[in-house]
Amino acid sequence: MTGAAGAALASLVFPGTARSAKHFGTLAESELLIGFAHTSPVNDGGWTQKHDEAIRHLHALYPAIRTLYVESVPYSADATRIFRQFVAEGAQMIIATSNYGDFISDVAEQAPDTIFLECDGHRVSDNLGWYYMTHWYASYVIGIAAARLSRSGRLGYVASFPTPSVLASANATLLGARSVNPSATLRAIPINSWFDPQAAASAGAALIDSGCDFLAGIMDDPGYLRVAQQRGVWAAMWNTDMRQFGPDAYVSSVVLDFAPFYAQTVRRRLAGSWRAEGRFLKLGEGVDRDRWGARVPPAVAREADDVRRRILAGWSPFTGPIRDSRGIVRVAEGHTMSDADIYAWDWQVQGVSGLV
Amino acid sequence: MVPLRESIVTLVLALVLHAMAYGSILALAAQGEVLAERAGVVDLGVEGLMALGAVLAVIVADATHSPWAGCLAAAAIGAAGAAAFGCATVILGASQTLCGVALTLLGLGASGVLGHSVAGRPVTATLPQWTLPGLSSGSPIGPVSSQGPMVWIAFLILPLILHVFLFRTAPGLALRAVGEAPASADASGLPVIRIRMLAVSAGGALAGLAGAAMTLSVLPVWSEGMIAGRGWIAVALVILCGYRPVLAALSSLFFGFVMSLGFFGQAQGWPVAPPLMNMSPYVVTILCMIVPSILFPKLRRLWAAPAALGAPYRREER
């Protein structure tokens, strides 16, 4: 028992490195019931919609499996109740498409024969794993295009909350931009929401009025893309292809596709080969830059795509020296930030302001 | 480098433009609530009615290719929702607070169901820009002179109409009498229930219109949860403005201004913490409520709520 607790502790300390040894038996396709807990409605036009599309893809691949979902699950004890209900309904697999911390791990402890997966989670135990996409590589690639397209070298960023994920996204965008224009800067405005089209549009307009001519961000809605279109500046988005909302302004998106990962997870569960682990989905493995916008010059797209190919081949742009916004070297020359480091990023790189 | 003075002018104009666009949503809803509260009914369902108006405006505008049909539908659903609320509170005498909150929850939920098909899609038929006559785009305030029609309706036309109506006409006096002393109004022959129902429905229509202004002009796209508490702000503004339509429009403009100032401050890199900047509209509201009433105690009486506000009127119990 102590050994198991020790292993669980080790997996808490080293997220992503641990892989549980616990086996789950094989299942027939018709026996599998998966419960999904979503953080927003399935038609939110962004994050949850991408998960919902992946679920529909699962049904096409495995017509006999059954899935349940609950939308807008709050980050509260209500989430615990919903996970428990999934267990009571006989789900062998419960997938939370956002971080639910203790609310999911508590239930996972009490239901050792049910598999739990948490998107953006941090804990691994025998039956609880997590997955997250390494969106920072896509942001870096888009950052390169941003620096080439921006005349002023001032990029704006519509942020939600100053969380590591948002810092990684903003930092990666500017590091990409600085790789071609060392004097580029990025000004972020956190709007304290993942979804508030009016606030996102206001923040975008304020950034443009302050001299930014390229907007990036991490929003579920196309709010600031419309503003960029009206004002004749560039914008890069998140989650989905949003070019219809601003065809002239659209540069690219950090596009997500969870279908391959969910298909693989189900395949492993059916075959009895699923093991709990923390899993980073690499560039091209469920996260990528979107097809470039119609007005992005081919030369710019080519230059950014060359870097994308290098990343796909294994090169990491997150290599020192990297300074923080106070000028202190945080990643020494020759060192490369691992995905786990980037996943826990809690400082702004030099040139980024507004987040911490 | 742009000369400093010119860049300040540009910045202020951008701020005003913003404040007008976003303030117009609050102004429409707040003036609707002024009507209802002047007649003695607190309608806390504004948030839900705005959500319903916002989604129906998009659905109807998309189907008919006419943004004005969308506005009409939004006003109609707002009026209908408010009339249902009125049936429960004004006619049957149920608690206004409870029914208002229920209406908000109902409106938010129903709008989510109704909007499943249009969520996140660009709105095809949006409201045109109206340019104020006599202001050429070349003048220094040119950019401000051309705005969505709802802006002009919310800030120029509606305050004027409502002010004249409430304070200069007999029906307006009747409406206020019903809110101050329904028993006396009843005794003098005024149809209390009918007047309250009309006031509440008209207020609901304006709340629905506020939702339409958001989805057909300001943003323009619908997605669930997009009202994001602005209906509650409108309700608060009614108290702040002392139940006066002109002041309701002005305080909405001011609120829009303070709200956009928060974003501009962050974009300009002012050395103020973003959380402080984001809370500024609410801090300013609280200050505006407290400071004048301490400095000028007389204001408390002038600014007081209608005497019968929130109390259902039952003739049998007077």
Side-chain angles (χ1 to χ4, degrees), chain B residues 170-263:
Chain B
L173 180 65
L175 189 150
R176 285 187 291 136
V178 162
E180 295 289 350
S184 320
D186 195 10
S188 70
L190 289 174
V192 175
I193 301 297
R194 197 185 308 160
I195 291 177
R196 282 191 167 179
M197 283 298 287
L198 282 174
V200 169
S201 306
L206 287 176
L209 212 55
M214 200 157 172
T215 47
L216 294 183
S217 187
V218 176
L219 276 174
V221 64
W222 181 85
S223 11
E224 196 173 344
M226 64 181 291
I227 303 297
R230 284 167 188 102
W232 296 110
I233 296 179
V235 173
L237 285 177
V238 173
I239 305 169
L240 177 67
C241 73
Y243 310 87
R244 286 158 173 79
V246 175
L247 287 179
L250 284 178
S251 54
S252 302
L253 184 64
F254 175 69
F255 210 86
F257 190 80
V258 179
M259 223 157 19
S260 24
L261 203 62
F263 291 115

Side-chain angles (χ1 to χ4, degrees), chain A residues 203-351:
Chain A
L207 287 164
I208 295 170
D209 287 322
S210 305
C212 299
D213 57 359
F214 188 104
L215 297 182
I218 188 159
M219 287 294 125
D220 281 349
D221 61 270
Y224 69 85
L225 174 59
R226 292 173 166 284
V227 178
Q229 170 83 12
Q230 280 167 12
R231 303 283 298 271
V233 305
W234 299 97
M237 312 303 293
W238 245 81
N239 296 312
T240 54
D241 182 347
M242 292 187 178
R243 69 189 72 218
Q244 54 168 335
F245 297 98
D248 300 322
Y250 188 80
V251 173
S252 188
S253 268
V254 176
V255 278
L256 308 178
D257 180 8
F258 295 99
F261 173 72
Y262 285 162
Q264 184 196 52
T265 305
V266 167
R267 192 166 60 244
R268 286 185 177 169
R269 178 63 192 90
L270 294 176
S273 63
W274 187 89
R275 302 284 176 276
E277 63 175 335
R279 170 82 180 275
F280 284 114
L281 306 178
K282 298 280 182 192
L283 188 69
E285 226 185 18
V287 58
D288 211 332
R289 59 117 183 90
D290 189 22
R291 191 162 51 86
W292 295 102
R295 284 185 59 241
V296 177
V300 172
R302 236 187 343 265
E303 184 180 2
D305 279 342
D306 282 343
V307 175
R308 174 175 167 269
R309 265 190 296 278
R310 286 175 63 199
I311 296 173
L312 287 173
W315 173 74
S316 171
F318 300 101
T319 302
I322 302 177
R323 291 170 186 275
D324 69 11
S325 50
R326 283 169 302 171
I328 301 163
V329 177
R330 299 291 288 262
V331 180
E333 181 135 25
H335 282 263
T336 298
M337 295 176 83
S338 68
D339 285 329
D341 294 338
I342 298 172
Y343 194 37
W345 215 333
D346 60 356
W347 44 275
Q348 309 180 113
V349 300
Q350 198 165 38

Side-chain angles (χ1 to χ4, degrees), chain B residues 87-155:
Chain B
C87 283
T89 56
V90 176
I91 297 178
L92 300 174
S95 156
Q96 294 177 7
T97 313
L98 279 182
C99 292
V101 172
L103 182 59
T104 285
L105 295 176
L106 182 74
L108 291 178
S111 68
V113 174
L114 283 175
H116 249 260
S117 62
V118 292
R121 281 212 330 245
V123 178
T124 47
T126 55
L127 290 168
Q129 300 283 80
W130 280 2
T131 307
L132 272 200
L135 280 174
S136 71
S137 54
S139 67
I141 58 159
V144 178
S145 68
S146 184
Q147 300 234 33
M150 288 301 164
V151 170
W152 303 126
I153 292 175
F155 289 123

Side-chain angles (χ1 to χ4, degrees), chain A residues 140-177:
Chain A
Y140 186 91
V141 170
I142 291 172
I144 294 168
R148 286 291 181 228
L149 295 171
S150 165
R151 285 165 188 276
S152 65
R154 296 166 73 173
L155 318 183
Y157 190 95
V158 181
S160 50
F161 302 91
T163 63
S165 213
V166 173
L167 276 156
S169 165
N171 286 342
T173 305
L174 187 70
L175 286 175

